[in-house]
Each structure stands twice: as structure tokens, then as C-alpha cells.
């Protein structure tokens, strides 16, 4: 049995369920209360839970993220919402130098069970200060778990698993997914945050991706199928720690790999994945691994330029055909 809902509704229901289950859980961030959240994820929650648990904050990412970390150290289970990952850079000191390091610096005496949610990704003509994909930067930091739910079911289930973690968890929600509809199974306990997931079986090439790019890869795989190319699509789901076993198993099966990542190419998550494949799966490859990333420019405002800067279905198909010789 399953229930159909949007990605936005799934996130809202996940927050609502967590707050009902544990009175120590609360949500804080800019406009999460009276406005209902920048992307309407928290719409209606203020009326249901009141201002003590749905807390509007000043426009100070460093300040309210630090407050959330402090609350977590004090025994609460805060969910901190940051409008976009671009603005998370204003809280980077709190996230990296405090949340990510506290367990290590205290010799394991203190944990920071904070969950920080933020929108990521481009494609909405919001230009260079609201459109970047910086999850790869945060995935560089030891002490953090980085989640990137791409399906509605994962959006519904991952928050509960994140709140169970005694250490900080960052959830990157691609803003293009909020209106996407999907089925949520009744048995959410079967959904974990430790493993990647094969969303489409294939035998000729592995398309490794996450977040908003998953659906571009799924569309590309369908188009490739009509050309006689069988593409497997692997959804990473968790970007730190990476599920090396799932990556290597898929590559060993198809022997060719294309990584699709909306982050910038240089120093990217895709670079890390390619390196691991070369270290652990070199002898299984029939062709050099390739990747598609965003153009190394600030994301443009103009629609045609923004589209040109991002991996698209057509470029995924074209690159795959080159890799498999189709």
C-alpha cells in the first residue's frame, strides 16, 4: 500500500510526524512560521504546533544555525531550515567548526544531533546567488552526514532517520523537486539512509547521480533504451558517506560509467567518485569514466543560458552514446 503526494507534502508530513512523536523536535529558520517556508514546506505547521516549536528567526544564518547547534547540545532535536545552500555559507563556521567537530573535540562526550535542511540546485531563473549546488562542498567535511533525497518516498522517510542520528545531518532538497508527485509506501521503516539505490536496471553503462539529476538520468535512460542502449541508473541518496559497494557493484556489472553532478566540475563530488572507481574498480572498466557537471560559471539568470550551464537529458544521451559507441 502507498499514498500519493508531492515532495513538498512529503517533507511537511515528515516534519509533522517527528514533532508529534517527540516534543523535543522543533523547526526554526527564516519565514518557516507565518509565511509557511520559502518553498511552503512548513505551511500550516505554525497553527498546529505554535510559535515555541515553529520558530521564525532573524535573517542571520550564522546566528540561528548556532542557536540550533546549541539547542542540540542541550538535549533538543532541532530542525534548522536554511533557504538555499548559497546562504548556508554564512553559517559555514557554525556547521564545520562547531557541529562537525564537537564529537571529536570532546573525545566523544558531546554529540550535536541537529538536522539542517536546505534547498539546492538551479533551473528556476533565480540567478547566481540562489541557484548553486554546493552539497559536494559539505560532503568534503568529516563529521557530517549528507543526504540528497531525490524521490518523494525518500523525502518522506529520510528526515526520521536523520533525527535518529546522534551527529549532524544535512539534507539537500533540490528545489525543482518540490512539486514532483510520487508514491510513499506505508512501510517507511524499510527506507534507510545508508545505501544507494538502483532506480533502473541496465547492462551497458552506469549513470551515477543524485537529487534533481536523477530524473534527467531516468529520462535519458528511457531515450537510450529506444536506441538499443541499456543504462543502469544509480541514485546515490547519501553523499557522505558514499556507498562505495553499490558504486563498484554497478560499475563491475556494466563496465562503463557516466557521473552526472550539478556541482561544478573542478574539485567536485563527481571527481571524488571517479577517483574511487579508479582506485577500486579500474580493472573492471572497458572505457574511461566520464562525467557531466555544471559549467564553471556563476549560474546565469537568462533561461537559455541557465539551461546551457546545467547537465540536460540531451547531453546525458549524447555523452552516453560516445561512451558505449552507439
Amino acid at each position: 500500500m502507498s499514498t500519493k503526494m508531492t515532495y513538498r507534502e512529503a517533507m511537511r508530513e515528515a516534519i509533522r510526524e517527528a514533532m508529534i512523536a517527540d516534543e523535543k523536535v522543533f523547526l526554526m529558520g527564516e519565514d518557516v512560521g507565518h509565511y509557511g517556508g520559502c518553498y511552503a514546506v512548513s505551511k500550516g505547521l505554525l497553527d498546529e504546533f505554535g510559535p515555541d516549536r515553529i520558530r521564525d528567526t532573524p535573517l542571520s544564518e550564522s546566528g540561528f544555525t548556532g542557536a540550533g547547534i546549541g539547542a542540540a547540545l542541550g538535549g533538543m532535536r532541532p530542525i534548522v531550515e536554511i533557504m538555499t545552500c548559497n546562504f548556508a555559507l554564512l553559517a559555514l563556521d557554525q556547521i564545520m567548526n562547531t557541529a562537525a567537530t564537537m564529537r571529536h573535540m570532546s573525545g566523544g562526550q558531546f554529540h550535536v544531533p541537529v538536522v539542517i535542511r536546505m534547498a539546492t540546485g538551479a533551473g528556476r531563473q533565480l540567478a547566481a546567488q540562489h541557484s548553486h549546488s554546493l552539497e559536494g562542498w559539505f560532503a568534503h567535511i568529516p563529521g557530517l552526514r549528507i543526504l540528497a533525497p531525490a524521490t518523494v518516498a525518500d523525502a518522506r522517510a529520510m528526515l526520521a532517520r536523520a533525527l535518529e542520528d546522534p551527529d549532524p545531518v544535512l539534507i539537500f532538497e533540490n528545489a525543482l523537486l518540490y512539486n514532483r508527485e510520487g508514491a510513499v509506501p506505508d512501510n517507511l521503516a524499510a527506507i534507510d539512509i545508508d545505501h544507494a539505490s538502483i532506480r533502473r536496471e541496465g547492462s551497458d553503462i552506469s549513470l551515477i547521480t543524485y537529487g534533481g539529476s536523477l530524473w534527467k538520468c531516468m529520462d535519458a535512460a528511457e531515450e537510450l533504451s529506444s536506441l538499443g542502449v541499456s543504462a543502469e541508473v544509480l541514485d546515490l541518496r547519501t553523499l557522505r558517506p558514499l556507498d562505495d559497494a553499490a558504486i563498484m557493484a554497478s560499475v563491475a556489472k556494466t563496465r562503463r560509467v557516466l557521473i552526472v553532478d550539478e556541482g561544478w566540475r573542478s574539485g567536485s563530488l563527481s571527481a571524488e567518485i571517479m577517483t574511487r572507481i579508479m582506485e577500486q574498480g579500474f580493472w573492471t572498466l572497458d572505457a574511461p569514466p566520464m562525467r557531466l557537471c555544471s559549467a564553471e560559471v556563476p549560474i546565469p539568470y537568462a533561461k537559455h543560458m541557465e539551461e546551457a550551464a546545467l547537465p540536460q537529458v540531451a547531453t546525458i544521451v549524447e555523452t552516453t552514446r560516445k561512451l558505449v559507441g552507439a
Side-chain angles (χ1 to χ4, degrees):
M1 298 290 290
S2 63
T3 304
K4 192 173 184 179
M5 63 181 69
T6 66
Y7 189 97
R8 174 186 292 104
E9 292 167 340
M11 289 302 307
R12 183 186 304 136
E13 187 57 26
I15 295 169
R16 182 175 178 275
E17 181 184 67
M19 294 186 69
I20 292 172
D22 186 349
E23 64 180 12
K24 297 191 296 296
V25 176
F26 69 96
L27 175 69
M28 64 190 304
E30 297 158 347
D31 290 333
V32 299
H34 293 282
Y35 190 69
C38 183
Y39 294 96
V41 169
S42 55
K43 189 174 182 179
L45 296 182
L46 177 64
D47 294 336
E48 185 172 356
F49 295 100
D52 286 344
R53 300 186 69 193
I54 304 294
R55 303 181 74 95
D56 280 321
T57 66
L59 301 180
S60 174
E61 284 78 6
S62 179
F64 68 73
T65 301
I69 293 168
L73 283 166
M76 301 297 286
R77 290 282 176 167
I79 303 169
V80 176
E81 177 177 308
I82 298 176
M83 280 188 186
T84 86
C85 64
N86 294 71
F87 300 165
L89 300 182
L90 295 163
L92 186 57
D93 177 59
Q94 298 284 9
I95 294 170
M96 190 178 85
N97 283 329
T98 303
T101 60
M102 187 62 70
R103 180 179 181 182
H104 172 77
M105 296 288 286
S106 69
Q109 296 182 79
F110 299 112
H111 295 263
V112 183
V114 65
V115 173
I116 302 174
R117 301 174 39 248
M118 63 190 84
T120 186
R124 295 157 294 135
Q125 286 193 269
L126 294 178
Q129 294 173 323
H130 297 72
S131 302
H132 290 133
S133 297
L134 304 179
E135 49 274 9
W137 291 19
F138 289 93
H140 178 69
I141 302 171
L144 301 179
R145 182 187 288 267
I146 307 297
L147 308 182
T151 67
V152 175
D154 274 356
R156 177 66 179 82
M158 279 185 158
L159 179 66
R161 304 288 91 76
L163 286 168
E164 293 170 357
D165 197 311
D167 297 308
V169 178
L170 274 59
I171 302 177
F172 288 82
E173 303 162 9
N174 189 292
L176 286 181
L177 297 177
Y178 283 123
N179 289 329
R180 190 174 188 90
E181 288 189 336
V184 176
D186 292 342
N187 181 17
L188 293 175
I191 298 176
D192 66 31
I193 56 174
D194 297 319
H195 301 96
S197 179
I198 294 176
R199 302 298 187 188
R200 180 185 176 114
E201 296 275 357
S203 57
D204 294 330
I205 187 170
S206 298
L207 304 179
I208 298 178
T209 191
Y210 65 92
S213 292
L214 170 66
W215 301 105
K216 295 179 181 178
C217 287
M218 294 292 282
D219 289 345
E222 185 64 27
E223 187 171 332
L224 287 162
S225 177
S226 67
L227 301 172
V229 177
S230 175
E232 181 156 289
V233 180
L234 181 68
D235 176 10
L236 292 170
R237 301 178 72 242
T238 297
L239 309 185
R240 186 182 183 96
L242 285 167
D243 186 351
D244 284 10
I247 295 170
M248 300 313 152
S250 182
V251 171
K253 175 184 175 184
T254 66
R255 309 182 79 84
R256 292 178 174 81
V257 59
L258 172 64
I259 302 153
V260 181
D261 174 9
E262 286 195 16
W264 289 307
R265 181 184 178 92
S266 299
S268 61
L269 186 70
S270 65
E272 175 64 26
I273 296 169
M274 290 180 76
T275 301
R276 294 188 186 204
I277 291 171
M278 298 304 286
E279 290 172 341
Q280 302 176 44
F282 177 80
W283 298 109
T284 68
L285 294 169
D286 282 345
M290 295 185 71
R291 55 182 162 156
L292 278 175
C293 303
S294 291
E296 301 214 3
V297 297
I299 296 297
Y301 171 78
K303 184 175 177 58
H304 67 292
M305 294 180 67
E306 184 182 39
E307 289 177 350
L310 299 171
Q312 302 291 351
V313 173
T315 52
I316 297 170
V317 170
E318 180 183 353
T319 307
T320 299
R321 293 184 66 179
K322 289 179 181 175
L323 255 172
V324 301

